[in-house]
Amino acid sequence: MAGSRLPRQLFLQGVAAVFMFAFASLYTQIPGLYGPEGILPARRTLRPQGKGRWQQLWETPTLLWEAPRLGLDTAQGLELLSLLGAVLALGALLLSPLRHPAVYLLLWAAYLSACQVGQVFLYFQWDSLLLETGFLAVLVAPLRPSSHHKQAPQGRRAGALPHEGLPFWLVRWLLFRLMFASGVVKLTSRCPAWWGLTALTYHYETQCLPTPAAWFAHHLPVWLHKLSVVATFLIEIAVPPLFFAPIRRLRLAAFYSQVLLQVLIIITGNYNFFNLMTLVLTTALLDDQHLAADPGHSGRKKTATSRPKALLATLSLLLELAVYGFLAYGTVHYFGLEVDWQQRTVHSRTTFTFHQFSQWLKTLTLPTVWLGVASLAWELLSALWRWTQVRGWLRKLSAAVQLSLVGTATVALFLISLVPYSYVEPGTHGRLWTGAHRLFGTVEHLQLANSYGLFRRMTGLGGRPEVVLEGSYDGHHWTEIEFMYKPGNLSRPPPVVVPHQPRLDWQMWFAALGPHTHSPWFTSLVLRLLQGKDPVIRLIQSQVARYPFHEQPPTYIRAQRYKYWFSQPGEQGQWWRRQWVEEFFPPVSLGDPVLDTLLKQFGLQDKNPPRARGTNGTLAQALHWTRTQLSPLEAPALLWGLLVAVGAVRVVQSLLAPWSLRSSPTALAIREKHRPAPQKDSGATSEQATPAPSPCSSGSRTTRRKK
C-alpha cells in the first residue's frame, strides 16, 4: 500500500474547514436560538447541582461552565466559543503548524461544549459526525511537523514514525459505518418508497431545503429515478466493503463512487456541511501515489518485473474484474434490471423480500465486524514492521512508546464504535463482547462514536407538509410570515445556502411532520414573535425591514399546515403549488390562557426573569462590537466570504511557495554544498577551465566506469 501523508494532510485541512463553517454558521444564530430573548435560552440548560467542579464537567462536558468566571452569561460564552473556534479552524486550514493535536482537541471540545447546550437545534446526525471526526483528527494530526522532501529507500518518508498512518484507518472505518448503515436502514425501515424504488420521485420535492437544481431533477423520467435508487443502494451497501480491499484500484473506484453520490446530493439539496464532511472522510481511501505526492512513482522507468510479481499483478487484475462482475450481476439480479430498447428505458424492481434481506443482514453484519478486525490487525502489524526498521536505540524506544499509546487508542476507539454500529442488526448487537458495551457506556456522553442512518424513511409521499406562520393585528386580516430559506412564497426559487445550516428552518420542517405538541420549542417561537424579540425575528428575516411586523409586533399569531408540490414545467414564475390542509397552531395572543398553558406544560415559562445582559466587561463589549459588525451580513454570505478569503490566501501562498523554497535555509545549504571551489591561482588557465567536480558529476563518471 502506498503512503498516506498527503491524504492525511487533506483530511486535516478538510476537518478544519468544516469546523470553520460549523462554528461560523452557529455563531450567526446564537442570539435568536439561545440568547436570553431566544427560543430556547441556553442558561436553562446549565444549572449547578452542588457537585464538584470536575464531576460536573465530566457529567456535562462543556466549557461554558466557566463563562461566569469571565463575566459572561451562557449565550455570550457560546458566542465566544464559536468565534474562537471559527478563527482557530481558519488558522489550522491555512497554516500547517496549527494542524496540531492540541488545536483539534480544542476544536472538538468547543463544539462538544456547544452541543451540550444546543438542545434540539444541535441534535442532528452531522453534528455527531463532526464530533467523532474531530476527535479522530486529534489522533491523526502529527505532534511535530516533519520534512516530507526526503524519501526513505522503501518509498516512505525519511523520519516518518511507524504509528503515523494507524489512526487514519479509523477514518476509513467511520466512512464505512456511515455509508453502510445509511444504506441498510433504508430497507430495514420497511419504507414503501425505498422498497418500491420510487423514493427519489419524492425526495427532491420533500427534502428540507431543496436547491433550484432539485426542481429539474424532480421532473426527470420515473425510470431514471428508480435506476438512481438502485445506484444509491449499490454505492451505500455493496461498495463500502471495498474500502478495505487489498487492491488499491478497488479502493479508488469506491472513492470515486462515494464522491459522485455526495456531489449529486450537494447539487440538489442544502445539507449544510454534512456532505462536505463525508467528502473529507473519503480521503482515507486515497494514497500518495494517486495524488502524485511521490513523483518518483510517475517518473520511474519501467524495469523488468520478476515472474512472481507479474503473476501477482495478473491475479490482482482478475480479482478486480471478478469483483466488478459480481457487483454488476448482483445489481441486475436483485433489482431485476431490464432494458427496453423500444421505449429506451431501463425497468427495475426489487426481487427480494424483507425477510430475505433481514436474513442476509443477520448473516453479513458480524462478518463486516471481523473484516474491520482483520483490516485493523493488518495495519497494526504493518506499523510494527515499520517500527523494526527504526535505527538507533533511543529513537526506537521513543517510537515504541508512541506506537503503544496510539495503537491502544486506536483499538479502544474501534471497540467503542462497534456498539453503535451493531444497532443496524439487533442480533449482532447482543453478541458483542461485554467489555465493548462497558467501554462505550463510559464515554457515550462524549460522542466519540455514534450510530448513523440517514434518510431512513421518505416523508411527504402525499405532498410536502409545510407550516406557514401568520400574524394579525385584529384577528381577521392575516399576513403570512415568510422565512428566508424554507418554502413559503410560491414564486420564490429555492435558495442555495450550503454550507450554512439555518437551524430554525430545519426544525420547522420536522415540526410539519406531526402536531405542534411534538415540537415544544414552537410554542416558544410564537411567544417571542408576539413579544417582537429582534434576535428571533432575525432568524426569520436577517433584514428586519422585510419582516411584515417590524414596526409593531402582531397582536395574534397562528400557524397553518399546507401541502406543497413543485410546479409543473410551463408554469411561468411559479416554483411551487400548495393546498391548505388544516390549522397547525390556534390563534393566540400575549396572556392567552391557551398559550400560557402550553408554556407551562413544556416548562418554557421564565420562573425567574433573566438578569441583565452584562456589557460592562471588556470581553462582553468586544463580543457586542463583533456582533454589531457582522450582523448586517446574511449567514450564507459570511460563510462564502470566508471561503473566498481562504481561496485568495491559498493562491498567494502558492505564488510565494517557489520563492520561499529557494530562500529557505535548506535550499541555501544545498546550493552552498554544490558551489564550485574558489580558484587559488588565477593564472592557471587549465584549472579555470575545469570546474570543480560535483557529487552528481563524479557519481556519473563512477557509474560509467562501472558500466
Side-chain angles (χ1 to χ4, degrees), residues 160-175:
L161 297 172
H163 71 273
E164 281 188 350
L166 189 56
F168 200 43
W169 178 90
L170 288 172
V171 179
R172 193 187 314 175
W173 172 246
L174 172 57
L175 177 65

Side-chain angles (χ1 to χ4, degrees), residues 533-550:
K533 298 302 183 182
D534 185 74
V536 177
I537 293 174
R538 289 184 179 275
L539 293 177
I540 298 175
Q541 286 291 342
S542 60
Q543 302 296 330
V544 179
R546 298 178 183 176
Y547 181 68
F549 303 98
H550 64 278

Side-chain angles (χ1 to χ4, degrees), residues 400-416:
V401 173
Q402 295 181 65
L403 179 58
S404 300
L405 294 175
V406 174
T408 301
T410 302
V411 173
L413 286 174
F414 173 70
L415 289 175
I416 292 171

Side-chain angles (χ1 to χ4, degrees), residues 24 41 324 395 600:
Y324 294 143
R395 189 174 298 174
K600 184 177 181 180

Side-chain angles (χ1 to χ4, degrees), residues 44 595-597 599-608:
R44 297 175 180 167
L595 180 61
D596 292 341
T597 300
L599 291 172
K600 184 177 181 180
Q601 176 184 345
F602 299 135
L604 297 174
Q605 283 183 322
D606 285 325
K607 298 179 181 179
N608 299 316

Side-chain angles (χ1 to χ4, degrees), residues 166 375-385 403 406-408 410-411:
L166 189 56
S375 180
L376 178 57
W378 173 261
E379 293 291 334
L380 289 169
L381 290 175
S382 300
L384 188 60
W385 180 85
L403 179 58
V406 174
T408 301
T410 302
V411 173

